[in-house]
């Protein structure tokens, strides 16, 4: 089983709908992240959470919200989806570690299309 | 505004050749520089990383070269193999603080057999 699981893997929906993307992890990591990937733009950070009570905005948080339901679960919501939110979305986790950066471990992504 | 600029956008190399991907950054507070590899349908995975106290790091056929004064770093894939065909992302972050990664735009590498 994957260490970082994203559901759904694919979703097609209409403008104005509320969408929730879910992420769960079995790695026991405290830190979790949501990114979106667009061609030619790489990965951009939407939100990140360093523990259950800590939620922070990333560089492109407008139009998105998140919920950290437990150490292992971090969900991303689009309250009213718009076509320019069509993208590939990734959840990632990392250990808190000591002495600096720890690798981020990514799920396999959710491909979201908004018509 | 992307904090890490990556080039080229794509490259094609023959099996056994060398692939070179370049990245540049402006924020002098960055002091951790990882490279991630992504295969189609999968999430990125850490390939190799370097800190600015060394100018080069090698792991197998993959080498990072780092030029602190020029604020540039590059990934070299030696003896490229078809299995190396993937998208590669450079990234940068601060070693202390919020540890957020800033990613480059990505380079799609195709290795022809």
């Amino acid at each position: 089983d994957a260490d970082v699981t994203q559901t759904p893997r694919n979703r097609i929906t209409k403008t104005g709908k509320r969408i929730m993307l879910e992420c769960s992890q079995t790695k026991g990591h405290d830190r979790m992240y949501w990114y979106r990937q667009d061609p030619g733009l790489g990965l951009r950070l939407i939100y990140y959470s360093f523990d259950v009570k800590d939620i922070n905005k990333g560089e492109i948080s407008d139009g998105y919200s998140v919920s950290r339901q437990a150490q292992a679960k971090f969900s991303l919501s689009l309250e009213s989806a718009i076509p320019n939110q069509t993208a590939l979305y990734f959840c990632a986790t990392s250990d808190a570690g000591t002495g600096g950066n720890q690798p981020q471990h990514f799920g396999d992504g959710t491909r979201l299309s908004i018509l | 505004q992307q904090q890490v600029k990556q080039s080229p956008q794509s490259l094609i190399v023959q099996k056994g050749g060398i692939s070179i991907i370049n990245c540049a950054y402006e924020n002098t507070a960055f002091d951790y520089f990882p490279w991630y590899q992504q295969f189609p349908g999968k999430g990125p995975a850490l390939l190799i990383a370097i800190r600015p106290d060394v100018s080069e790091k090698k792991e197998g056929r993959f080498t990072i070269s780092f030029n602190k004064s020029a604020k540039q770093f590059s990934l070299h894939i030696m003896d490229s193999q078809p299995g190396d065909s993937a998208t590669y992302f450079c990234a940068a972050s601060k070693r202390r603080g919020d540890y957020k990664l800033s990613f480059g735009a990505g380079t799609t590498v195709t290795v022809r057999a």
Side-chain angles (χ1 to χ4, degrees):
Chain A
D1 287 342
D3 294 324
V4 183
T5 302
Q6 292 186 235
T7 55
R9 291 296 314 277
N10 293 281
R11 179 79 184 268
I12 301 173
T13 191
K14 295 181 179 180
T15 298
K17 294 290 188 181
R18 184 178 188 274
I19 308 297
M20 180 180 285
L21 309 183
E22 299 187 341
C23 177
S24 63
Q25 52 116 345
T26 58
K27 300 190 74 68
H29 290 165
D30 287 324
R31 298 177 179 175
M32 298 187 74
Y33 311 81
W34 275 104
Y35 293 90
R36 67 177 277 176
Q37 182 178 354
D38 299 276
L41 295 177
L43 292 115
R44 292 181 292 166
L45 185 63
I46 305 172
Y47 272 95
Y48 61 105
S49 169
F50 281 0
D51 65 41
V52 175
K53 297 180 180 179
D54 176 75
I55 303 287
N56 303 281
K57 292 182 177 181
E59 60 183 296
I60 54 163
S61 59
D62 287 349
Y64 301 94
S65 63
V66 291
S67 174
R68 184 83 184 264
Q69 300 95 324
Q71 186 208 34
K73 295 184 182 296
F74 192 36
S75 60
L76 176 73
S77 294
L78 289 68
E79 295 301 326
S80 180
I82 55 176
N84 76 0
Q85 292 177 313
T86 293
L88 188 53
Y89 289 85
F90 286 101
C91 173
T93 74
S94 69
D95 196 3
T98 57
N101 306 82
Q102 300 295 318
Q104 291 190 16
H105 300 264
F106 286 78
D108 286 339
T110 294
R111 186 167 297 280
L112 179 62
S113 297
I114 300 164
L115 306 177
Chain B
Q1 189 172 354
Q2 217 143 19
Q3 295 196 57
V4 180
K5 291 182 170 31
Q6 182 172 348
S7 62
Q9 187 173 358
S10 64
L11 67 91
I12 299 173
V13 63
Q14 293 296 316
K15 180 181 176 181
I18 302 174
S19 304
I20 301 174
I21 306 169
N22 299 300
C23 288
Y25 64 97
E26 287 298 324
N27 189 342
T28 54
F30 287 152
D31 56 4
Y32 173 70
F33 303 91
W35 286 86
Y36 281 77
Q37 179 188 52
Q38 182 184 30
F39 293 106
K42 298 293 186 181
L46 179 66
L47 180 64
I48 185 173
I50 196 169
R51 302 196 193 282
D53 49 347
V54 296
S55 60
E56 185 174 283
K57 182 173 182 179
K58 186 174 182 179
E59 289 186 3
R61 296 183 293 105
F62 299 90
T63 299
I64 300 178
S65 297
F66 184 79
N67 185 329
K68 188 174 182 178
S69 61
K71 293 185 285 186
Q72 295 175 347
F73 58 110
S74 60
L75 177 70
H76 294 232
I77 307 173
M78 312 300 287
D79 186 26
S80 297
Q81 299 297 311
D84 298 331
S85 297
T87 299
Y88 294 81
F89 294 97
C90 61
S93 75
K94 304 172 200 175
R95 205 185 323 181
R96 290 180 177 79
D98 57 24
Y99 307 114
K100 290 184 295 184
L101 284 173
S102 294
F103 284 89
T107 297
T108 299
V109 174
T110 302
V111 182
R112 298 244 191 259

